Amino acid sequence: MAATLAELALLVGGKVHGDENLLITGVAPLSDAGEGEISFFANPRYGEEARKTRASAIIAGAPIESSRASFLLSDNPYLAFAKILAFFRPPSRPAAAGISEEAHLEENVRIGEGASIFPGVFIGRGTTIGERTVVYPNTVIGERCAIGRDCIFYPNVTIREETVIGDRVILQPGAVIGSDGFGFAKDGVAYVKIPQVGVVILEDDVEVGANTTIDRATLGTTVLRKGVKIDNLVQIAHGIEIGENSVLAAQVGIAGSTRVGRRVSIGGQAGITGHIEISDDAVIGGQAGVTSDVPPGSFYTGYPARPYRQALRSLAELKRLPGLRDEITALEKKLSELERKLGEEK
Amino acid sequence: MAATLAELALLVGGKVHGDENLLITGVAPLSDAGEGEISFFANPRYGEEARKTRASAIIAGAPIESSRASFLLSDNPYLAFAKILAFFRPPSRPAAAGISEEAHLEENVRIGEGASIFPGVFIGRGTTIGERTVVYPNTVIGERCAIGRDCIFYPNVTIREETVIGDRVILQPGAVIGSDGFGFAKDGVAYVKIPQVGVVILEDDVEVGANTTIDRATLGTTVLRKGVKIDNLVQIAHGIEIGENSVLAAQVGIAGSTRVGRRVSIGGQAGITGHIEISDDAVIGGQAGVTSDVPPGSFYTGYPARPYRQALRSLAELKRLPGLRDEITALEKKLSELERKLGEEK
Amino acid sequence: MAATLAELALLVGGKVHGDENLLITGVAPLSDAGEGEISFFANPRYGEEARKTRASAIIAGAPIESSRASFLLSDNPYLAFAKILAFFRPPSRPAAAGISEEAHLEENVRIGEGASIFPGVFIGRGTTIGERTVVYPNTVIGERCAIGRDCIFYPNVTIREETVIGDRVILQPGAVIGSDGFGFAKDGVAYVKIPQVGVVILEDDVEVGANTTIDRATLGTTVLRKGVKIDNLVQIAHGIEIGENSVLAAQVGIAGSTRVGRRVSIGGQAGITGHIEISDDAVIGGQAGVTSDVPPGSFYTGYPARPYRQALRSLAELKRLPGLRDEITALEKKLSELERKLGEEK
């Protein structure tokens, strides 16, 4: 796999600053790259590495001063990087394995053409799987599921009964889709299980991280709309809806029946209570604890979560609290002094 | 499956407000329900949906004004809902599959009558499994375990050696029971593993969420008493005891040797340090960080966790801090003014 | 298995206080131990149990007053306990099972002598596994991995392609090694996946907890150096390096490209942002939110994480805030009084 810098620029809709005919044979990080390799620079934190790199070319938003490399300039260097990486390292999808004899398919299972079903996979009765979908070893898919095309389910994934999954959905290892929602009714001091008979729907282009859990609804549906991306170890409770192109970082937890809008971004380890609404384009900071509705386009942080500026001001004041105490002590002193003087004058 | 509203009221010990002879054929959420369906109302947040629903009947604590539906009234509408849902949607337990030939049973494994062991299941030597217990595909049960009756173990669960599990225990997919406790002794700068040779006991009617992990004790036992319910992605460290009918929400973490009492409720993402005691009937707020003992019946929240009212007052003060600073600045001004006047008078 | 107290003291390099010829036949917790058993005491919290125990001997740093037991004294009682426990309860590693016929090995897989490959295991093409390594049921190992000797991989673990694992590495059940890093480039409102073509390296003596996830790097490597110990449900994102002998408690999350030094200790549920550096010997408190570099040997806590003393002082001030407000109110009163007096005098 090789291409000139000009060809790569054409591929990503960027332009060359430097040697157009430079032959590029691979991609590598700034710190490791060598002759003939292209690297990537966007985070100013790595400016020093970018200046020192031995990469022949760098994908960037603007040329870097005092660098000897050629540049592939792009308005969206991340996207250019994604495309060039995909060009040099196409996904090593297995040669169509077909359906392994060591997989277990119950009756009335339909598998699309070009799909790969690895050893140890179990597929329940009445489930359909689309064309070219790859199901890696030991993944279990329950009864009456409808799975789309070109999906990749990594090993040890569990998809429970009646789940609906669109096209190009990726499930990282150990992800659980359709576990029971956490619903119990109190009967005296004990708890009685509320049957969880709803389903989970993952629309097209959803990606779910390793060991993330997505519960089925009590009734109705838990839905992840098109293009939602979820990182590892995230908890999505029953009856949640997450809007298109929203992104959740690792270890986020969302409680039941909450609605998350479109293009929302939620930072790692944030917790969101049940039965509230996070509106479109909101941003939730890492470790935030969200206890009430969040308006569109706002940035909430802290616990309980508040608009970023407010939370920041409180934090700054908190740091300055010891100083505040000193000021009060000084005031008290002055006041006593005044009172004393006033007394003497009389 | 169909029943009159009067019959359903009899089933749950409630009473009818409206048409006793109404024929109910299913259960649906307020927003989706239609003719012949019964729905459920308890959270005031959904009052608008309850007034607008097209459900023929609603399970509730009291009739809703201006609603055209009939009502099934109950002192415990959640419990009534649970029972009616179970009536209309009985768990679709598989027809007794028996023991799949594609499961692997080591020597001296005893399986009770009516149990279902699916393909890809592994059961270690000397383990016994009670009547009617269902073990779904690819779940692994170690050696010398004792498993009760009427349990449901979903796919890809791991139960390590010598675990003891009671009756009617439900393990959601990917749950891990009996992993090694996190115990190491320092030897210079390196760590030496302390063997974890204790066990885990899950008593009757315990439910464990998807991808939740419960460590075996170093010595002795990690115990979840009767009726404990644990949500997804929870961490239970070695040597913990959790009392009867306690409930832990998702992503809670409890460190080693802590004792949790009976009927305790712990909110999502709360963290509890090791070697402490959470007493009976305590409530721990979501994301709380508990660093010391919690008295019976108290409600602790925040970090470090304190009684709710105290934590709340501090948070309120924190929000008002900028105002406090303004007050002090005003005081300083007045004081300078006074000092100036006092100087002039002399 | 039995030994005199003198023999056990020799084994761990300790000395006997009491009866050297006492025959010890087992290890048990203070609360359960009986005749002939040795127990362990280090945490002062359990002083009462230590005085009351019926254990014949106790491993401790110093003799306990008014105890009837004999003592095995050690400068490092934890380490002595680890060694004695390993003596009495050696790991019940399975008699060399060899390679199960119910495991699935692709072409060009090499398995070292004395290794045990259980039923339901899948090993991808070109992978090598060292001598005496045990792979428990239903664990999946991808293509072109290099696995060392004397490792233990518990059930339902997933190791994705091209992972490199050293000797004596332990993976608890459900651990995921080599899942895709969470990397996407924005293309308008949608996200395009950035291929994650790097790898994961786990060096010798690493232990990874149950259902913990370790992502492969985008390019380059995610590395856990020698002796790193990680508890359950931890998230290690792409491109992270963790230095030798560092220890991470349960539910910690570390974002991409962060570097953690040697001998670092991170408390449960702490979150660490991406692209920063935690230096050698640093300690991070439980639930801390670390947003910037942490200097060597420092102890950071709180959110955002700060040096322990600072964070503690702010927390103390926060608790005293209501009092501060009262002081200000008192000041205001006095000042008004003074102003009034000053007015009257004129």
Side-chain angles (χ1 to χ4, degrees):
Chain A
M1 203 73 75
T4 64
L5 198 51
E7 288 166 342
L8 292 178
L10 201 66
L11 177 72
V12 304
K15 57 186 181 181
V16 175
H17 176 96
D19 180 2
E20 294 214 326
N21 296 316
L22 193 64
L23 194 71
I24 302 296
T25 57
V27 189
L30 289 166
S31 52
D32 300 350
E35 191 67 27
E37 290 184 313
I38 191 165
S39 197
F40 170 70
F41 173 70
N43 186 337
R45 181 156 186 128
Y46 299 106
E48 186 65 20
E49 285 190 21
R51 274 183 295 276
K52 287 186 178 167
T53 185
R54 305 173 82 176
S56 294
I58 301 174
I59 304 162
I64 299 163
E65 267 180 60
S66 81
S67 165
R68 293 160 310 168
S70 290
F71 287 86
L72 196 171
L73 302 179
S74 165
D75 294 342
N76 189 342
Y78 274 105
L79 184 59
F81 172 62
K83 287 178 176 172
I84 286 172
L85 200 49
F87 170 78
F88 281 105
R89 303 281 293 261
S92 61
R93 168 140 346 169
I99 302 171
S100 166
E101 289 186 4
E102 293 168 53
H104 184 100
L105 277 58
E106 291 195 327
E107 62 268 28
N108 295 324
V109 167
R110 278 175 298 164
I111 309 282
E113 235 176 293
S116 305
I117 311 296
F118 274 80
V121 168
F122 177 97
I123 304 180
R125 67 194 61 168
T127 284
T128 63
I129 294 193
E131 297 160 25
R132 294 174 304 280
T133 283
V134 179
V135 185
Y136 279 101
N138 293 358
T139 279
V140 175
I141 305 176
E143 310 177 8
R144 297 181 303 283
C145 293
I147 313 285
R149 304 170 179 184
D150 297 302
C151 295
I152 303 175
F153 300 162
Y154 283 101
N156 287 318
V157 163
T158 302
I159 300 167
R160 274 188 47 191
E161 66 276 14
E162 294 177 8
T163 298
V164 176
I165 294 183
D167 298 335
R168 295 174 304 280
V169 168
I170 298 175
L171 305 180
Q172 296 292 333
V176 173
I177 316 295
S179 36
D180 282 352
F182 196 63
F184 300 90
K186 249 190 164 165
D187 187 6
V189 298
Y191 289 89
V192 172
K193 186 173 177 73
I194 299 176
Q196 304 288 310
V197 301
V199 300
V200 175
I201 299 173
L202 308 182
E203 293 188 350
D204 296 346
D205 299 302
V206 163
E207 178 158 350
V208 175
N211 285 342
T212 279
T213 59
I214 301 179
D215 283 350
R216 63 199 312 111
T218 310
L219 289 167
T221 55
T222 303
V223 193
L224 275 57
R225 298 286 177 208
K226 286 186 190 181
V228 167
K229 311 294 185 189
I230 297 188
D231 201 349
N232 299 344
L233 294 169
V234 169
Q235 154 70 353
I236 304 292
H238 49 180
I240 286 171
E241 175 173 351
I242 300 183
E244 291 185 17
N245 296 313
S246 285
V247 173
L248 280 65
Q251 295 177 318
V252 162
I254 309 184
S257 301
T258 279
R259 292 170 58 93
V260 174
R262 291 168 291 176
R263 299 174 302 278
V264 168
S265 171
I266 305 182
Q269 296 187 334
I272 297 176
T273 197
H275 299 282
I276 66 169
E277 181 155 3
I278 312 294
S279 294
D280 292 351
D281 301 299
V283 175
I284 308 295
Q287 289 193 330
V290 183
T291 56
S292 56
D293 291 354
V294 173
S298 51
F299 178 13
Y300 269 50
T301 185
Y303 173 81
R306 289 183 292 151
Y308 177 66
R309 278 168 192 283
Q310 283 180 34
L312 209 66
R313 191 162 173 212
S314 283
L315 280 173
E317 292 289 350
L318 190 60
K319 281 193 192 172
R320 287 157 61 194
L321 253 185
L324 203 62
R325 176 165 297 279
D326 293 344
E327 282 179 46
I328 290 173
T329 307
L331 269 176
E332 281 168 344
K333 225 175 181 168
K334 279 191 190 169
L335 201 58
S336 300
E337 186 70 13
L338 265 184
E339 283 175 328
R340 199 184 47 77
K341 278 190 189 164
L342 218 58
E344 281 174 6
E345 276 173 29
K346 279 184 192 164
Chain B
M1 203 73 76
T4 65
L5 198 52
E7 288 166 342
L8 292 178
L10 201 67
L11 177 71
V12 304
K15 57 184 182 184
V16 174
H17 175 95
D19 180 1
E20 295 214 326
N21 297 317
L22 193 63
L23 193 70
I24 301 297
T25 57
V27 188
L30 289 166
S31 53
D32 301 350
E35 191 67 26
E37 290 183 313
I38 191 165
S39 196
F40 170 70
F41 172 70
N43 186 336
R45 181 156 185 127
Y46 300 106
E48 186 65 20
E49 287 190 19
R51 275 184 293 278
K52 286 185 179 168
T53 185
R54 306 173 80 174
S56 295
I58 302 175
I59 304 161
I64 299 162
E65 267 182 59
S66 81
S67 165
R68 295 160 308 168
S70 290
F71 286 87
L72 196 171
L73 302 179
S74 165
D75 294 342
N76 189 341
Y78 275 105
L79 185 59
F81 172 62
K83 287 177 177 172
I84 286 171
L85 199 49
F87 171 79
F88 281 105
R89 304 283 291 263
S92 61
R93 170 145 337 174
I99 302 171
S100 166
E101 290 186 3
E102 294 168 52
H104 184 100
L105 277 58
E106 291 195 327
E107 60 270 27
N108 295 322
V109 168
R110 279 175 298 164
I111 309 282
E113 236 176 292
S116 304
I117 310 296
F118 274 79
V121 168
F122 177 97
I123 304 179
R125 66 194 63 167
T127 284
T128 63
I129 294 193
E131 297 159 26
R132 295 174 303 280
T133 283
V134 179
V135 185
Y136 280 101
N138 293 358
T139 279
V140 175
I141 305 177
E143 309 177 8
R144 297 180 303 284
C145 294
I147 313 284
R149 305 170 179 183
D150 298 302
C151 294
I152 303 175
F153 300 162
Y154 284 101
N156 286 319
V157 164
T158 302
I159 300 167
R160 275 188 47 192
E161 66 276 13
E162 294 177 9
T163 297
V164 176
I165 294 183
D167 298 335
R168 297 173 302 282
V169 168
I170 299 175
L171 305 180
Q172 296 293 333
V176 172
I177 316 296
S179 36
D180 282 353
F182 195 63
F184 300 91
K186 248 190 165 166
D187 187 6
V189 298
Y191 288 90
V192 172
K193 185 171 177 72
I194 299 176
Q196 303 289 309
V197 301
V199 299
V200 175
I201 299 173
L202 307 182
E203 293 188 351
D204 296 346
D205 299 302
V206 163
E207 178 158 349
V208 176
N211 285 343
T212 279
T213 59
I214 301 179
D215 283 350
R216 63 198 314 109
T218 310
L219 289 168
T221 54
T222 304
V223 193
L224 275 57
R225 298 287 176 208
K226 285 186 191 181
V228 167
K229 311 295 185 189
I230 297 188
D231 202 350
N232 300 344
L233 294 169
V234 169
Q235 154 71 352
I236 305 293
H238 48 181
I240 286 171
E241 174 173 352
I242 300 184
E244 290 185 17
N245 295 312
S246 286
V247 173
L248 281 63
Q251 295 177 318
V252 162
I254 308 184
S257 301
T258 279
R259 291 171 59 93
V260 174
R262 291 167 292 176
R263 301 174 301 279
V264 168
S265 171
I266 305 182
Q269 295 187 333
I272 297 175
T273 196
H275 299 281
I276 65 170
E277 180 155 4
I278 312 294
S279 294
D280 292 352
D281 302 298
V283 175
I284 308 294
Q287 290 194 329
V290 183
T291 55
S292 56
D293 290 355
V294 173
S298 52
F299 178 13
Y300 270 50
T301 185
Y303 173 81
R306 289 184 292 151
Y308 177 66
R309 278 168 192 284
Q310 283 179 34
L312 209 68
R313 190 160 175 212
S314 283
L315 279 174
E317 292 289 350
L318 190 60
K319 281 193 192 173
R320 287 156 60 194
L321 254 185
L324 203 62
R325 176 166 298 280
D326 292 345
E327 282 179 47
I328 291 174
T329 308
L331 269 176
E332 281 167 344
K333 224 177 184 167
K334 279 191 191 169
L335 202 58
S336 299
E337 186 71 11
L338 265 184
E339 283 176 326
R340 199 184 46 78
K341 278 189 190 165
L342 218 59
E344 281 175 5
E345 277 174 27
K346 280 185 191 166
Chain C
M1 204 74 74
T4 64
L5 199 51
E7 287 166 342
L8 292 178
L10 202 68
L11 177 72
V12 304
K15 57 184 182 182
V16 174
H17 175 95
D19 180 2
E20 294 215 327
N21 297 315
L22 193 64
L23 195 70
I24 302 296
T25 58
V27 188
L30 289 166
S31 54
D32 301 350
E35 192 68 26
E37 290 183 313
I38 191 165
S39 197
F40 170 71
F41 172 69
N43 186 336
R45 182 156 185 128
Y46 299 106
E48 186 65 20
E49 286 189 20
R51 275 183 293 277
K52 287 185 179 168
T53 185
R54 307 173 80 175
S56 295
I58 301 174
I59 305 161
I64 299 162
E65 267 180 60
S66 81
S67 165
R68 295 160 308 167
S70 291
F71 287 87
L72 196 171
L73 303 178
S74 165
D75 293 343
N76 189 341
Y78 274 106
L79 184 59
F81 172 62
K83 286 178 177 172
I84 285 171
L85 200 48
F87 171 79
F88 282 105
R89 305 281 292 263
S92 61
R93 168 142 345 170
I99 302 172
S100 166
E101 289 186 3
E102 294 167 52
H104 184 100
L105 277 58
E106 291 195 326
E107 61 268 29
N108 295 324
V109 168
R110 278 175 298 164
I111 310 282
E113 236 176 291
S116 305
I117 310 295
F118 274 79
V121 168
F122 177 97
I123 304 178
R125 66 195 60 168
T127 284
T128 63
I129 294 192
E131 295 159 26
R132 295 174 303 280
T133 283
V134 179
V135 185
Y136 280 101
N138 294 358
T139 280
V140 175
I141 304 176
E143 310 177 8
R144 295 181 305 281
C145 293
I147 314 285
R149 305 170 177 182
D150 297 301
C151 295
I152 303 175
F153 300 163
Y154 283 102
N156 287 318
V157 164
T158 302
I159 300 167
R160 275 187 48 191
E161 66 275 14
E162 295 177 6
T163 297
V164 176
I165 294 183
D167 298 336
R168 297 173 303 281
V169 168
I170 298 175
L171 305 180
Q172 296 293 333
V176 173
I177 315 296
S179 37
D180 282 352
F182 196 63
F184 300 91
K186 249 191 164 163
D187 187 6
V189 297
Y191 289 89
V192 172
K193 187 173 177 71
I194 300 176
Q196 304 290 308
V197 301
V199 299
V200 175
I201 299 173
L202 308 182
E203 294 189 351
D204 295 346
D205 299 302
V206 163
E207 178 158 350
V208 175
N211 285 343
T212 279
T213 59
I214 301 178
D215 283 349
R216 64 199 312 112
T218 310
L219 289 168
T221 55
T222 303
V223 193
L224 274 58
R225 298 286 176 208
K226 285 187 191 180
V228 167
K229 310 294 184 189
I230 296 188
D231 202 350
N232 300 344
L233 294 169
V234 169
Q235 154 70 353
I236 305 293
H238 47 182
I240 287 170
E241 175 174 351
I242 300 184
E244 289 186 17
N245 296 312
S246 285
V247 173
L248 281 64
Q251 295 177 317
V252 162
I254 308 183
S257 301
T258 280
R259 291 170 59 93
V260 174
R262 290 168 293 177
R263 301 174 301 280
V264 168
S265 171
I266 305 182
Q269 295 187 333
I272 297 175
T273 197
H275 298 281
I276 65 170
E277 181 154 3
I278 312 294
S279 293
D280 292 353
D281 302 298
V283 175
I284 308 295
Q287 290 194 329
V290 183
T291 56
S292 56
D293 290 355
V294 173
S298 51
F299 178 12
Y300 269 50
T301 185
Y303 174 81
R306 289 183 292 151
Y308 177 67
R309 278 167 192 284
Q310 283 180 34
L312 209 66
R313 191 160 174 212
S314 284
L315 280 174
E317 292 289 350
L318 190 59
K319 281 193 191 173
R320 287 156 61 194
L321 253 185
L324 202 63
R325 175 165 297 279
D326 293 345
E327 282 179 47
I328 291 174
T329 308
L331 269 176
E332 281 168 345
K333 225 175 181 168
K334 279 191 192 169
L335 202 58
S336 300
E337 185 71 12
L338 266 183
E339 282 175 327
R340 199 183 46 77
K341 278 189 189 164
L342 217 59
E344 281 174 6
E345 277 173 29
K346 278 185 191 163

